């Protein structure tokens, strides 16, 4: 495990602090960056997200899908949680907290935007960070590739309709065109680019060359992640520093959702008697979010300084430390599952 994976929470934490410091000290620079957009897409954010996602997409091996029939239960668990449960529980929690529990503390327009941000997080299952979580729990790498591949394919077709349907519970207008552009830009194109890159390198130079290529582009993915976090917290620095109470309010339902979804998935995995190297990654995939996608769509739909964008940024703030606690828990409870056998 590299130094980035080992100290992931440290690097992300430092990036958050750097974003808050720079955003508060040089707000005009971040305003200038915020103005660099085309078709409601911030160009610099798009570049950094591509840097982050593309190396992960090159790792996706669609040929591994043929092995899904050997242990299908883990796939079904992931798909049910990601597409039939998680988006709807996130929307329900957002509505419950911001329309009922927190209604006296948040104005209706802001409440709708916070709910929208939570919905975008819930509809975007984790892609880029999946490989790190799987590695940390010693998950089956090939099986994780299958899970990621299927999720990415489904996300191309399901993200926009589900997001639009759930955003309909708020009073916000859903611009379908922007939503579809975001799916194409942040899911379909990186996935296609990753697929053709992988195929070209393997056919022309072989698998060792692919592994070498991945090792060389991995630092760019890390730079993209950290730069994105710095920018996101820089854009929201003023709001976060002046209204820390709002951050706490947004974090509460996000924490309940994260731990609740993991508990549901983990309990189901135990009852299904899945092996730990399949069960742990499946539950972590279902629990974590493709926050890069959620943030990008929130910015495209509602703007850099919107409540929706803030909610997705709080999702970044919450996710990394929470996921690391779940990784620790999963590793400590390995004995709850049957003896592992590699997928072959």
């Amino acid at each position: 495990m590299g130094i980035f994976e080992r100290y992931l929470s440290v690097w992300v934490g430092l990036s958050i602090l750097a974003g808050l410091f720079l955003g508060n000290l040089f707000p005009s620079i971040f305003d200038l960056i915020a103005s660099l957009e085309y078709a409601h897409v911030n160009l610099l954010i798009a570049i950094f997200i591509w840097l982050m996602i593309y190396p992960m997409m090159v790792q996706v091996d669609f040929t591994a899908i043929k092995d899904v029939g050997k242990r299908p239960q883990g796939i079904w668990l992931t798909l049910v949680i990601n597409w039939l449960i998680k988006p709807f529980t996130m929307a329900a929690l957002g509505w419950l907290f911001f329309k009922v529990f927190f209604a006296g503390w948040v104005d209706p327009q802001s409440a709708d935007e916070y709910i929208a941000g939570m919905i975008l997080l819930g509809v975007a299952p984790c892609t880029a960070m999946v490989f790190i979580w799987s590695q940390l729990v010693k998950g089956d790498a090939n099986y994780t590739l299958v899970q990621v591949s299927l999720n990415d394919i489904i996300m191309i077709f399901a993200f926009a309709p589900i997001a639009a349907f759930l955003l309909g519970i708020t009073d916000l207008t859903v611009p379908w065109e922007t939503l579809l552009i975001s799916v194409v830009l942040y899911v379909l194109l990186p996935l296609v680019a990753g697929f053709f890159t992988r195929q070209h390198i393997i056919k022309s130079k072989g698998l060792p060359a692919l592994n070498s290529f991945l090792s060389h582009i991995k630092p760019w993915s890390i730079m993209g992640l950290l730069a994105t976090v710095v920018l996101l917290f820089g854009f929201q620095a003023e709001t976060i520093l002046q209204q820390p109470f709002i951050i706490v309010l947004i974090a509460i339902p996000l924490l309940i959702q994260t731990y609740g979804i993991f508990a549901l998935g983990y309990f189901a995995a135990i009852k299904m008697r899945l092996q730990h190297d399949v069960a742990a990654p499946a539950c972590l995939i279902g629990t974590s979010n493709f926050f890069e996608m959620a943030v990008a769509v929130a910015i495209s739909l509602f703007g850099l300084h919107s409540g929706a964008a803030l909610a997705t940024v709080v999702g970044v703030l919450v996710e990394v430390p929470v996921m690391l606690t779940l990784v620790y828990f999963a590793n400590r409870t390995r004995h709850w599952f049957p003896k592992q056998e590699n997928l072959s």
Side-chain angles (χ1 to χ4, degrees), residues 242-262:
Q242 292 183 0
Q243 303 181 52
F245 183 59
I246 293 298
I247 307 305
V248 174
L249 294 185
I250 296 172
I252 290 173
L254 289 178
L255 285 169
I256 294 173
Q257 164 81 0
T258 304
Y259 283 116
I261 287 294
F262 180 83

Side-chain angles (χ1 to χ4, degrees), residues 254-319:
L254 289 178
L255 285 169
I256 294 173
Q257 164 81 0
T258 304
Y259 283 116
I261 287 294
F262 180 83
L264 176 65
Y266 216 61
F267 176 78
I270 292 172
K271 289 300 182 181
M272 294 168 69
R273 295 191 59 78
L274 298 180
Q275 295 176 185
H276 187 268
D277 63 342
V278 169
C283 295
L284 292 172
I285 291 169
T287 303
S288 57
N289 305 303
F290 190 179
F291 64 80
E292 305 92 335
M293 174 72 173
V295 169
V297 175
I299 291 173
S300 300
L301 292 178
F302 307 113
L304 282 165
H305 301 290
S306 65
L310 178 62
T312 56
V313 170
V314 175
V316 182
L317 179 65
V318 169
E319 176 164 322

